Amino acid sequence: MIIMVLIFLFVIGSAVVLQANLCLEKEILLLPPVNFTIIVTGLSKVLLKWKPNPDQDPKINSVKYKVRIHTPNEDDYETQRTQSRSVNVLHQGFSASVQTILHCDSSFFQSSWVSAELQAPPGAPGTSVVNLTCVTNILRNDVSLHCTWLVGKKAPEDTQYFLFYRFDTHTEECQEYKKDSWNRNIACWFPETMINRQGRGQLAVHVNGSSKQIAIKPLDQLFDLHAIDQVNPPMNVTAKLEGNRLYIQWEKPVSDFPRQCFDYEVNIYNIREDYSKIQKIQGHSFDLVIDPTCKHSLKIRATVHFSCRKNGLWSEWSQPIYVGEDEPIHLTEWLLSVLMATACFLLLSLFFICRNCQVWTKLFPPIPAPNRKVKDLSLSNVCEKTSSGETEIEVISYVEDPGLDHLDDSVF
Ligand SMILES: *[C@@H]1O[C@H](CO)[C@@H](O)[C@H](O)[C@H]1NC(C)=O
Ligand SMILES: *[C@@H]1O[C@H](CO)[C@@H](O)[C@H](O)[C@H]1NC(C)=O
Ligand SMILES: *[C@@H]1O[C@H](CO)[C@@H](O)[C@H](O)[C@H]1NC(C)=O
């Protein structure tokens, strides 16, 4: 047993020595890999495969490979294996190269490159969908997916689009489409999917299409799930007003994340003053002082805190809750003021009519001027007594017109 281990160590040791000796050489001829191929293994997913060059000097035994992706996005990496997986959109085609490399102490050797490519799928420019957006959400314990898009500008009226999503190894075609007036699919809804429940990982979406007139260009898009996962709004929001202090409580949204993973935003809106206050909170309750004579509406929304997942979307707002004085009381107050103002206005009109009816005074002259003054005064008193609030100012400005009154009298 010990002998075998020794032999093993010797073999390893001599290989290292051999390699070290090799590294002393000025030039090492490295040959490029052979049979480099790119295979599509799924939506936006490829497998790059190659073989070591059979003519390579067998003394060189610790070669690596450098993979360089050119299209759709430049990328570079090294690997010891003879295959590599890559997730990339494929509607613009895909091209990559690979070379044999050797790191030897401080020197570095490399072979020439071998390349391969996938042609872009056929299709006329401007026919693919544009502005594709998707949102995921937990609905009745399943992850739902909703995607919308716009029809390509050059897509004929008879175009039909089809949407597929892939998460991990699961691929599925949409079954529930929404259509535009030409009957073309423009949105898709998956009530249940196999997508990760905590919104982690990447989602691949593929929209292709067909038309009798021209080839429709497909579109691939990759989405980071945390960026498109919309959590549900907080649950069971309750509010209690004690004096002028408002106590608000709620529960975490339906989600696989624990309580401590949520941030909230509370929006308290003073309806009469048309003023809202937004407060960011990490707990599940909050209290503040409000003016209880004003009606307020309050609503809360949630998002997952960055300590649990990369930042994403806010939830929808919870259903609004109303607190404070009721609107109908304002309404009656308002009606009362309007009624008072109307009454004042009528009395004033009467007063002016009387003044203009001085013809009548002429016909029955024995009413002396001082008497009229007293009558005016009493009339204005009535208005001042009945009027209230804003309407008061208006009334006074009408009454305070004695100069004109005098003028009329003197002319007469
Ligand atoms: C490369 O591919 C050719 C043709 O498919 C095959 O004959 C050959 O054996 C392959 N070379 C290696 C090293 O696998
Ligand atoms: C579609 O997206 C482009 C840019 O990505 C934007 O300029 C345009 O306003 C969007 N169109 C609509 C209708 O949203
Ligand atoms: C659309 O893509 C799916 C999945 O890749 C494929 O099965 C289908 O044949 C394509 N349809 C068209 C019209 O290109």
Side-chain angles (χ1 to χ4, degrees):
M1 185 63 187
I2 294 169
I3 292 170
M4 270 174 72
V5 170
L6 280 176
I7 291 173
F8 179 70
L9 284 177
F10 175 76
V11 168
I12 297 237
S14 55
V16 169
V17 169
L18 211 68
Q19 190 75 50
N21 287 343
L22 244 167
C23 287
L24 294 176
E25 290 179 24
K26 274 256 155 49
E27 271 312 316
I28 294 178
L29 183 65
L30 284 183
L31 297 174
V34 296
N35 292 12
F36 177 39
T37 52
I38 302 171
I39 305 154
V40 178
T41 54
L43 291 187
S44 300
K45 200 162 76 162
V46 291
L47 174 65
L48 314 179
K49 277 172 84 169
W50 57 91
K51 292 269 162 55
N53 195 306
D55 300 330
Q56 185 66 59
D57 184 348
K59 274 189 288 178
I60 305 168
N61 53 9
S62 59
V63 295
K64 285 192 188 176
Y65 302 95
K66 184 168 194 169
V67 179
R68 177 167 289 169
I69 294 169
H70 311 288
T71 320
N73 298 306
E74 300 258 336
D75 193 15
D76 250 355
Y77 54 93
E78 291 181 9
T79 174
Q80 272 176 310
R81 307 175 59 193
T82 55
Q83 64 176 44
S84 157
R85 289 171 200 285
S86 169
V87 173
N88 267 291
V89 297
L90 301 176
H91 63 268
Q92 302 158 328
F94 182 90
S95 68
S97 305
V98 59
Q99 67 174 179
T100 313
I101 57 170
L102 179 68
H103 289 279
C104 226
D105 295 342
S106 56
S107 34
F108 172 73
F109 302 96
Q110 55 190 341
S111 74
S112 57
W113 292 95
V114 284
S115 303
E117 76 173 311
L118 290 176
Q119 292 296 325
T127 56
S128 71
V129 301
V130 290
N131 297 32
L132 174 66
T133 58
C134 293
V135 175
T136 62
N137 179 246
I138 288 192
L139 179 83
R140 290 189 297 271
N141 243 6
D142 285 300
V143 179
S144 69
L145 171 67
H146 186 246
C147 294
T148 61
W149 57 88
L150 300 175
V151 169
K153 280 211 168 61
K154 301 273 172 58
E157 285 160 19
D158 76 332
T159 302
Q160 193 51 285
Y161 291 116
F162 308 99
L163 181 139
F164 302 78
Y165 86 84
R166 177 183 63 78
F167 180 76
D168 210 353
T169 55
H170 180 83
T171 302
E172 201 177 323
E173 183 181 356
C174 181
Q175 302 299 328
E176 291 182 39
Y177 288 107
K178 190 182 146 204
K179 293 166 185 296
D180 71 0
S181 49
W182 299 106
N183 212 34
R184 298 178 293 198
N185 296 335
I186 51 161
C188 163
W189 162 241
F190 291 92
E192 7 183 307
T193 64
M194 302 290 276
I195 293 171
N196 176 276
R197 294 179 55 87
Q198 296 200 330
R200 293 194 168 103
Q202 245 186 353
L203 176 75
V205 175
H206 175 76
V207 186
N208 59 18
S210 65
S211 156
K212 289 206 176 76
Q213 296 168 41
I214 45 176
I216 303 299
K217 213 168 167 49
L219 174 83
D220 288 330
Q221 199 160 322
L222 294 167
F223 295 94
D224 286 327
L225 280 176
H226 72 87
I228 63 161
D229 180 40
Q230 188 171 44
V231 292
N232 288 299
M235 293 210 308
N236 300 342
V237 181
T238 54
K240 189 173 60 177
L241 194 58
E242 281 176 13
N244 61 356
R245 192 159 275 280
L246 177 63
Y247 297 89
I248 311 166
Q249 268 194 334
W250 60 92
E251 285 164 27
K252 84 170 186 82
V254 174
S255 161
D256 281 10
F257 285 105
R259 268 169 72 88
Q260 65 271 22
C261 279
F262 290 95
D263 274 347
Y264 299 97
E265 219 172 66
V266 181
N267 180 320
I268 298 141
Y269 175 60
N270 183 328
I271 295 171
R272 199 199 298 162
E273 312 274 301
D274 186 24
Y275 165 78
S276 62
K277 179 182 162 68
I278 291 178
Q279 182 76 40
K280 282 201 156 51
I281 295 172
Q282 272 192 307
H284 290 79
S285 63
F286 177 56
D287 65 84
L288 79 165
V289 172
I290 63 163
D291 174 3
T293 66
C294 287
K295 192 175 179 180
H296 290 73
S297 80
L298 76 93
K299 52 189 184 175
I300 309 178
R301 61 181 186 173
T303 192
V304 178
H305 190 255
F306 67 83
S307 62
C308 296
R309 182 179 75 187
K310 276 197 220 161
N311 278 36
L313 302 174
W314 281 99
S315 72
E316 299 280 341
W317 289 104
S318 61
Q319 288 298 317
I321 287 187
Y322 297 93
V323 287
E325 203 180 324
D326 260 26
E327 193 64 21
I329 291 169
H330 296 313
L331 200 71
T332 45
E333 265 179 11
W334 184 78
L335 269 176
L336 217 65
S337 348
V338 167
L339 269 173
M340 279 178 180
T342 317
C344 268
F345 177 75
L346 284 176
L347 281 172
L348 270 169
S349 310
L350 202 69
F351 160 69
F352 277 110
I353 287 167
C354 287
R355 202 187 59 184
N356 286 342
C357 292
Q358 278 160 355
V359 186
W360 181 76
T361 329
K362 214 177 184 177
L363 288 175
F364 306 93
I367 301 164
N371 269 2
R372 248 198 87 207
K373 279 262 150 70
V374 171
K375 208 168 142 196
D376 280 358
L377 211 69
S378 64
L379 201 70
S380 74
N381 274 346
V382 169
C383 266
E384 263 161 18
K385 267 177 205 154
T386 49
S387 68
S388 74
E390 301 144 31
T391 48
E392 195 165 29
I393 301 154
E394 223 177 315
V395 170
I396 287 166
S397 74
Y398 274 122
V399 175
E400 275 182 0
D401 209 358
L404 205 75
D405 220 12
H406 277 291
L407 206 73
D408 275 1
D409 277 349
S410 61
V411 164
F412 198 69

